[in-house]
Amino acid sequence: MISLQLSGRTVVVTGAGQGQGAAEARLLAEAGARVIATDLASEIPEQLAAISSPSVGELVYRQLDVSDADGWQRLADWIRSRGWQVDGLVNNAGITQRSRLLDASVTDLQRVYEVNVAGVLLGIQALSPLMGNGSAIVNVGSVAGLTAHYPVAYTASKWALRGLSQVAAMELGPRGIRVNTVHPGFIETPMTASARPEFRQATLAETPLGRTGTVDEVAGVVLFLLSTLSSFVTGAEIPVDGGQSGHGGAKSVSDAMR
Ligand SMILES: NC(=O)c1ccc[n+]([C@@H]2O[C@H](COP(=O)([O-])OP(=O)(O)OC[C@H]3O[C@@H](n4cnc5c(N)ncnc54)[C@H](O)[C@@H]3O)[C@@H](O)[C@H]2O)c1
């Protein structure tokens, strides 16, 4: 049956301790899923503790550093030991790094790649063996991966993630596992709270909807991509960015010509 409901389905969300990941964990549980919410902290983060007994679905917390292959294996073993399979994986964990082209070091690149690219590869390698026909993976990219966003290491990592996602969609498709990517624009989270005011203003000027997005607006698209409503959608990339990436830089010209 085609539905937004995730009852009876188990979904792993990475970086679920705050921001978009926490909102995704909450919405997926509300849709009836058993959510395995993971993050770096050993104890359940405050934001998740507040939603750890959803009225429908279920939420359990596990510590996971997505760049740690052994950690992924331990998570897979734990899920297997419970007799569960994995129906959804949301590779949400990500870090930013704001150095500019001529200042970025190889270490900067490696640090972001370790989480934003290798973390996703490791997750797919560890959990796809537990996934069957009808399951789905959602990778969280960024408008940075669609544009020449200035923080070069972060931007390069999100472009790389697009390639990884497309290979995964191709390779896992025959097993009935869908792989899609969402590309958030400026979303209000702890990550963007540390951005300079100039960044906020310049981004708003390039965003046709004229506002920043909320974590719930990203979570809704993630739920759609995990649900059977999107059962023939794979290898797709959906910007959730208020139109920021769609105009190809023409907005400032259009605004200037009014
Ligand atoms: N907020 C935005 O405007 C925006 C825009 C585009 C893309 N994104 C992407 O969305 C995702 C979520 O971003 P957010 O704004 O909610 O960020 P956030 O910094 O508020 O939250 C990220 C979470 O990931 C966790 N995390 C970091 N490194 C980890 C690791 N190695 N292993 C496991 N967990 C780790 C953090 O502990 C944190 O809980 C990221 O992939 C980010 O790149 C965010």
Side-chain angles (χ1 to χ4, degrees):
M1 201 185 59
I2 303 284
S3 153
L4 260 190
Q5 282 305 306
L6 297 181
S7 310
R9 296 172 78 76
T10 300
V11 181
V12 174
V13 182
T14 67
Q18 64 179 31
Q20 292 173 43
E24 287 151 9
R26 183 182 49 74
L27 185 65
L28 299 175
E30 276 172 10
R34 173 193 294 125
V35 177
I36 302 173
T38 67
D39 209 305
L40 293 171
S42 53
E43 299 298 324
I44 183 166
E46 225 172 279
Q47 276 205 34
L48 287 178
I51 52 168
S52 62
S53 302
S55 46
V56 280
E58 186 188 342
L59 192 142
V60 285
Y61 179 73
R62 302 289 294 176
Q63 178 182 27
L64 174 72
D65 177 340
V66 295
S67 64
D68 174 14
D70 294 339
W72 274 111
Q73 215 39 67
R74 283 193 297 278
L75 179 68
D77 291 345
W78 178 79
I79 294 172
R80 223 179 254 116
S81 72
R82 313 221 118 196
W84 299 338
Q85 64 169 39
V86 175
D87 305 290
L89 167 61
V90 184
N91 286 308
N92 164 79
I95 57 171
T96 188
Q97 208 292 331
R98 299 193 171 109
S99 49
R100 308 287 302 239
L101 182 67
L102 299 185
D103 302 320
S105 66
V106 171
T107 313
D108 292 340
L109 263 186
Q110 284 168 335
R111 271 197 42 238
V112 221
Y113 265 68
E114 226 170 63
V115 179
N116 297 4
V117 187
V120 176
L121 177 67
L122 292 172
I124 292 172
Q125 289 174 338
L127 296 193
S128 62
L130 294 176
M131 302 177 87
N133 189 14
S135 54
I137 296 171
V138 179
N139 294 331
V140 180
S142 169
V143 285
L146 299 170
T147 62
H149 188 43
Y150 74 91
V152 64
Y154 180 74
T155 293
S157 77
K158 293 297 187 179
W159 279 84
L161 175 60
R162 294 177 65 194
L164 168 59
S165 302
Q166 299 304 24
V167 173
M170 178 184 69
E171 298 251 349
L172 298 176
R175 290 179 43 203
I177 304 172
R178 298 181 296 108
V179 184
N180 293 293
T181 307
V182 295
H183 292 299
F186 193 125
I187 308 297
E188 301 288 354
T189 70
M191 182 186 274
T192 42
S194 65
R196 281 171 41 191
E198 297 89 323
F199 173 64
R200 172 183 294 269
Q201 256 160 18
T203 306
L204 282 177
E206 289 297 339
T207 302
L209 289 187
R211 64 174 178 85
T212 58
T214 68
V215 291
D216 294 329
E217 290 175 310
V218 179
V221 181
V222 170
L223 169 58
F224 164 70
L225 289 171
L226 289 176
S227 78
T228 51
L229 281 189
S230 59
S231 52
F232 201 49
V233 180
T234 193
E237 303 186 78
I238 305 187
V240 187
D241 66 351
Q244 188 190 343
S245 61
H247 59 76
K251 183 168 184 300
S252 55
V253 176
S254 167
D255 290 350
M257 299 309 288
R258 273 183 218 289

